[in-house]
Amino acid sequence: MAAPGHPVLAAVFLDRARAFHRGAQIGASIALAPTLHLLAISCELGLKAHLLGHGWADDALVRDLRHDLVRALDEARQLGLPAPGRPLADFIKSLGPAYAVHRIDALVAGGYACDIGAVLCETTQLLDAVAACLSPAMPGAATLPTSSSPSA
């Protein structure tokens, strides 16, 4: 069992993840690269919220994970986060390395494409799963606002 973690900081990270997700929802029909960047930030913050809630220290996130979405997902899954659906898993696997080195624009210029609607939906589910996993450790976590549907 993991250490109790940092429930307040985890809640802040999850709240920020939802805010970036809302930004991606708004931008989805406008421009692909900025939308993908917002989604990657949302995933990063959501995964780090899970890790913070399960014993990781904030300095370890900075030092050991940085912006590595693939490793963050792997670590979060080891601490009980359910596996994401195929669209989000593929998104993290294919976009994560470019995100880690600030190269999303180049990836998109090279022809990267994804089903943005499916990734938005799966990201909502990821953030909801993080909230559910944190709720026993975080009083009030279950009452955090949830993202609306991708069309909102």
Side-chain angles (χ1 to χ4, degrees):
M1 183 86 186
H6 305 277
V8 173
L9 190 55
V12 170
F13 271 54
L14 183 57
D15 182 59
R16 297 304 181 268
R18 291 193 190 280
F20 277 98
H21 184 263
R22 285 189 296 276
Q25 289 173 315
I26 293 166
S29 63
I30 300 169
L32 183 59
T35 298
L36 296 175
H37 191 83
L38 292 171
L39 275 171
I41 293 169
S42 177
C43 290
E44 177 182 0
L45 292 172
L47 293 168
K48 287 181 174 181
H50 185 81
L51 296 173
L52 284 165
H54 290 86
W56 277 64
D58 57 339
D59 63 331
L61 295 176
V62 172
R63 180 185 64 246
D64 299 334
L65 287 184
R66 302 186 47 79
H67 303 295
D68 187 340
L69 296 179
V70 174
R71 180 159 177 228
L73 177 59
D74 183 53
E75 296 289 341
R77 296 235 17 247
Q78 290 179 36
L79 292 173
L81 187 68
R86 173 64 64 195
L88 186 57
D90 289 348
F91 172 81
I92 288 172
K93 182 180 177 183
S94 62
L95 185 117
Y99 171 70
V101 294
H102 311 286
R103 302 280 300 159
I104 291 176
D105 287 335
L107 186 69
V108 170
Y112 176 82
C114 67
D115 181 345
I116 197 72
V119 174
L120 283 164
C121 182
E122 292 280 336
T123 304
T124 297
Q125 293 172 8
L126 172 81
L127 299 178
D128 290 346
V130 169
C133 286
L134 295 178
S135 61
M138 293 178 14
T143 61
L144 289 173
T146 58
S147 299
S148 58
S149 68
S151 61

